[in-house]
Amino acid sequence: MRKICVVTGSRADYGLLYWVMREIAATSGLQLQIVATGMHLSAQFGSTYRAIEADGFRIDAKVDMLLASDTAIGVGKSIGLGVIGFADALDRLQPDMLLVLGDRYEILAAAQAALIARIPIAHIAGGDVTEGAFDEAIRHSITKMAHVHFVTNADAARRVRQLGENPAHIHNVGSPGLDYIKRVSLLERAALEAALDFRFQKQNLLVTFHPATLEKQSAAAQFEELLTALDALGPEVGILMTKPNADTDGQIIIDLMDRYVKDRPFARAYTSLGQVRYLSAMALVDGVVGNSSSGLYEAPSFRKPTVNIGDRQKGRLQASSVVNCEPVAAEIEAAIRRALTMDCAQTVNPYGDGESAARIAKAISAVREPAALLKKHFFELNIDHE
């Protein structure tokens, strides 16, 4: 049995990893291990590790690394604590391969510890471009530490080859988040309203906004521009807000969000909706607004328009349903009004067909000797490996 250790650090990556974990657990010859870290272990962010356990998974290790501070110093120290914690956890679990997703600093800590421990790394969603956040550099760094690459689209595969990775170890599998959409039973409107204590209006928006960590304009200033735009729409537009990740200056956005919904009965804010409620809301609203990758990954599958604000997702592959705008109130308002009139019935999601998890588990299963992957050769661009 080859032990495959999956790291999850937030509600967002857990939703993407859920069916991957199920497929690994169901694959002969593979043993699933789970390490929960980051926001999962924080009461401030909903202690969402409980959702993992409620889904029937066993958490084999918990790496507590988040400090209370969301300053740059605090986040930097959190990464250091994560490396220490993952070094201990991986030494105890002794996995044959570490499977990680995305570009968050919690995942960077796990990858660093695995690299030094000589544990092969499989990475999901490398090769994407997001110019407005330091997640961009983290993602490419993990790509260079990783040995097997599960990318979500052909452009990403090309970029991973450009980084010198072995083309034989790059698999274009699509986004595993679409697997959840394909298999989930969504809540109907009345059930979701009861679950959220929210009354849908004539039109409704799902709003998620994270700090854009490389922007000159502060997170507070950008989010206040968004709030001004939302107010301009009037109370006939219902607003469901999900709170941001544990990023630099994330608490500022949380505080502004809490103040905003306090006096507006048509708006609600939630620490964590969970995957079923979040996707159910996405299916029922008239548009998705903010700067979250879910507006680009998942929303097109529901044929919902997305208003993508600022540069946080700049460079990422987009469907025709995405409207881009600057973090300026007038531009955000204009983009939302345009989105609410769009017909997205013919939208095609560029991130696959919802069968990613099975492809990932199959490719991992085919790696009979993971340790043989550790010595990597740099593949030059002038060598044709297409």
Side-chain angles (χ1 to χ4, degrees):
M1 295 289 286
R2 279 159 290 149
K3 294 180 287 185
I4 311 301
C5 182
V6 177
V7 177
T8 174
S10 70
R11 69 197 186 213
D13 71 19
Y14 175 61
L16 301 178
L17 287 166
Y18 175 89
W19 281 107
V20 176
M21 291 158 60
R22 288 287 184 212
E23 290 286 350
I24 290 172
T27 299
S28 176
L30 301 182
Q31 177 185 338
L32 175 67
Q33 295 177 324
I34 299 173
V35 177
T37 189
M39 289 181 285
H40 281 310
L41 307 182
S42 170
Q44 178 186 2
F45 294 97
S47 299
T48 50
Y49 74 88
R50 297 192 186 103
I52 302 172
E53 295 174 335
D55 285 338
F57 290 112
R58 184 187 71 189
I59 297 175
D60 296 278
K62 296 176 181 176
V63 175
D64 196 350
M65 58 179 283
L66 282 190
L67 297 178
S69 171
D70 65 350
T71 65
I73 295 173
V75 172
K77 289 181 177 179
S78 291
I79 294 173
L81 289 173
V83 175
I84 294 169
F86 277 108
D88 289 336
L90 295 177
D91 182 63
R92 178 169 63 82
L93 296 176
Q94 292 292 305
D96 296 288
M97 180 178 286
L98 186 79
L99 178 63
V100 296
L101 181 147
D103 50 22
R104 286 194 53 78
Y105 60 81
E106 300 96 334
I107 304 307
L108 175 64
Q112 290 179 75
L115 178 72
I116 302 304
R118 295 187 294 182
I119 298 169
I121 301 169
H123 182 213
I124 301 173
D128 283 352
V129 175
T130 51
E131 297 179 7
F134 51 54
D135 301 17
E136 162 97 348
I138 291 175
R139 185 186 310 106
H140 297 328
S141 298
I142 295 172
T143 291
K144 290 308 301 177
M145 297 184 206
H147 307 84
V148 181
H149 310 276
F150 298 114
V151 300
T152 64
N153 61 85
D155 289 345
R158 174 179 51 78
R159 295 189 191 101
V160 173
R161 290 197 301 271
Q162 188 175 343
L163 288 168
E165 295 302 296
N166 188 341
H169 297 156
I170 303 170
H171 307 274
N172 184 0
V173 299
S175 171
L178 305 192
D179 293 46
Y180 209 110
I181 294 172
K182 190 170 184 177
R183 304 190 199 195
V184 71
S185 295
L186 298 176
L187 299 175
E188 295 182 356
R189 176 168 171 158
L192 184 62
E193 285 184 330
L196 299 181
D197 187 26
F198 176 79
R199 179 71 64 182
F200 278 91
Q201 305 298 309
K202 184 177 180 179
Q203 291 182 304
N204 302 276
L205 299 172
L206 179 61
V207 177
T208 305
F209 194 86
H210 302 290
T213 49
L214 292 181
E215 291 294 297
K216 292 182 179 179
Q217 189 181 23
S218 70
Q222 288 197 2
F223 191 62
E224 285 174 338
E225 293 287 328
L226 170 56
L227 296 180
T228 298
L230 294 175
D231 267 345
L233 301 174
E236 62 272 14
V237 176
I239 299 169
L240 289 169
M241 292 183 171
T242 59
K243 294 183 178 180
N245 292 329
D247 287 316
T248 308
D249 293 336
Q251 187 60 48
I252 297 172
I253 294 179
I254 292 172
D255 292 342
L256 288 170
M257 192 178 291
D258 285 340
R259 287 203 294 268
Y260 181 83
V261 301
K262 183 178 180 181
D263 300 320
R264 293 168 176 84
F266 57 88
R268 291 283 190 278
Y270 305 89
T271 299
S272 176
L273 289 176
Q275 198 70 358
V276 173
R277 292 192 302 178
Y278 182 75
L279 293 177
S280 298
M282 186 174 284
L284 289 168
V285 298
D286 300 282
V288 176
V289 177
N291 60 7
S292 169
S293 61
S294 64
L296 280 64
Y297 276 139
E298 285 90 46
S301 289
F302 293 105
R303 292 173 172 78
K304 301 293 183 178
T306 294
V307 173
N308 180 52
I309 302 170
D311 289 345
R312 190 171 187 271
Q313 302 297 334
K314 186 177 180 181
R316 200 187 286 274
L317 183 64
Q318 298 184 358
S320 60
S321 53
V322 178
V323 179
N324 296 294
C325 68
E326 293 299 314
V328 177
E331 294 193 27
I332 297 171
E333 180 190 351
I336 293 174
R337 292 190 184 279
R338 176 186 167 193
L340 291 175
T341 64
M342 288 173 60
D343 181 0
C344 299
Q346 303 304 315
T347 296
V348 176
N349 194 322
Y351 288 101
D353 58 3
E355 296 294 338
S356 301
R359 296 186 185 107
I360 291 170
K362 182 178 179 180
I364 291 175
S365 182
V367 180
R368 298 300 178 184
E369 297 182 22
L373 299 171
L374 288 173
K375 289 185 178 181
K376 289 174 38 170
H377 173 72
F378 192 99
F379 282 73
E380 300 286 351
L381 281 178
N382 60 351
I383 301 175
D384 185 9
H385 295 284
E386 297 293 338

